[in-house]
């Protein structure tokens, strides 16, 4: 059984017309806490979006801006790192399993295409996924390298050099006197 999305904001197709409809969605405290857990974040302070949604046949377009503030953990030290997302989005929702062959206003590379089942789209889940993807996947505090070095952790280059020096081929090369 599929679990309902933490930040679900469904819009029924029969309530979306051909003219753009402006909507504002915002995650509440419980939704933000559940999303933070799902995305492996320390916390999400805010998450919202303003969008214009419109329908053409069975295809739905959503264009707008998503904003959010979160706290991530440094991948090297575990220290908290504040993160801010403020970016535009362009989405197209197509019916699950159907290819709609209409003229496309935007280049395919300019928008994300999502599928939906039944008679509604879920703008909240789309915004949540967009927020997660906009965050730095490997956040690091500014002094992470220095702190790791002080703790005795080698850089990638140092580790590679040590690996090469300790390989059986390096030992053979030393025996040959090269």
């Amino acid at each position: 059984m599929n679990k309902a999305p933490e930040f679900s904001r469904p819009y029924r197709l029969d309530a979306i017309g051909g003219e753009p409809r402006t909507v504002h969605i915002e995650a509440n405290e419980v939704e933000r806490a559940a999303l933070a857990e799902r995305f492996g974040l320390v916390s999400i302070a805010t998450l919202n979006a303003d969008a214009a949604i419109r329908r053409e046949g069975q295809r739905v377009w959503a264009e707008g801006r998503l904003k959010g503030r979160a706290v991530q953990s440094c991948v090297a030290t575990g220290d908290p790192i504040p993160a801010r997302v403020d970016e535009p989005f362009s989405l197209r929702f197509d019916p699950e399993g159907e290819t709609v062959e209409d003229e496309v206003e935007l280049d395919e590379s300019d928008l994300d295409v999502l599928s939906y089942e039944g008679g509604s789209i879920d703008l909240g889940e789309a915004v949540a996924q967009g927020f997660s993807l906009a965050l730095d996947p490997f956040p690091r505090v500014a002094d992470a390298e220095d702190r790791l070095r002080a703790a005795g952790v080698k850089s990638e280059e140092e580790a590679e050099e040590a690996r090469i020096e300790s390989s059986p081929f390096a030992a053979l090369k030393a025996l040959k006197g090269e």
Side-chain angles (χ1 to χ4, degrees):
M1 176 179 238
N2 288 344
K3 185 177 146 183
E6 300 87 342
F7 179 39
S8 183
R9 295 297 185 275
Y11 288 90
R12 291 182 13 189
L13 266 60
D14 61 3
I16 303 171
E19 291 298 314
R21 172 181 166 197
T22 303
V23 297
H24 174 81
I25 61 173
E26 189 162 345
N28 65 35
E29 185 177 347
V30 172
E31 292 165 333
R32 292 190 314 268
L35 286 171
E37 182 178 334
R38 174 173 151 198
F39 297 138
L41 303 170
V42 175
S43 65
I44 299 176
T46 62
L47 177 57
N48 62 70
D50 291 296
I53 57 175
R54 63 184 170 82
R55 182 169 65 105
E56 293 176 12
Q58 295 301 304
R59 180 178 277 168
V60 177
W61 304 83
E63 297 179 47
R65 182 162 218 90
L66 76 88
K67 296 179 181 181
R69 289 183 299 116
V71 176
Q72 297 179 273
S73 293
C74 173
V75 295
T77 66
D79 290 353
I81 302 174
R84 181 180 297 269
V85 172
D86 183 351
E87 64 180 42
F89 64 86
S90 294
L91 304 171
R92 188 180 81 209
F93 295 86
D94 288 345
E96 178 88 23
E98 288 187 31
T99 303
V100 183
E101 299 293 335
D102 289 341
E103 225 12 72
V104 177
E105 290 179 19
L106 297 173
D107 219 341
E108 291 295 323
S109 63
D110 293 337
L111 68 135
D112 291 321
V113 179
L114 305 169
S115 61
Y116 68 88
E117 288 184 26
S120 66
I121 63 160
D122 192 341
L123 186 59
E125 175 60 13
V127 165
Q129 289 178 17
F131 176 72
S132 173
L133 292 172
L135 294 169
D136 183 349
F138 303 106
R140 293 174 83 97
V141 292
D143 66 342
E145 292 298 323
D146 295 336
R147 291 169 58 186
L148 289 173
R149 194 171 297 108
V153 178
K154 295 180 179 179
S155 70
E156 288 182 33
E157 295 81 19
E158 292 169 331
E160 181 63 16
E161 286 174 18
R163 187 188 67 76
I164 291 169
E165 289 172 7
S166 66
S167 76
F169 297 109
L172 288 174
K173 192 174 183 181
L175 286 175
K176 282 180 81 175
E178 292 179 18

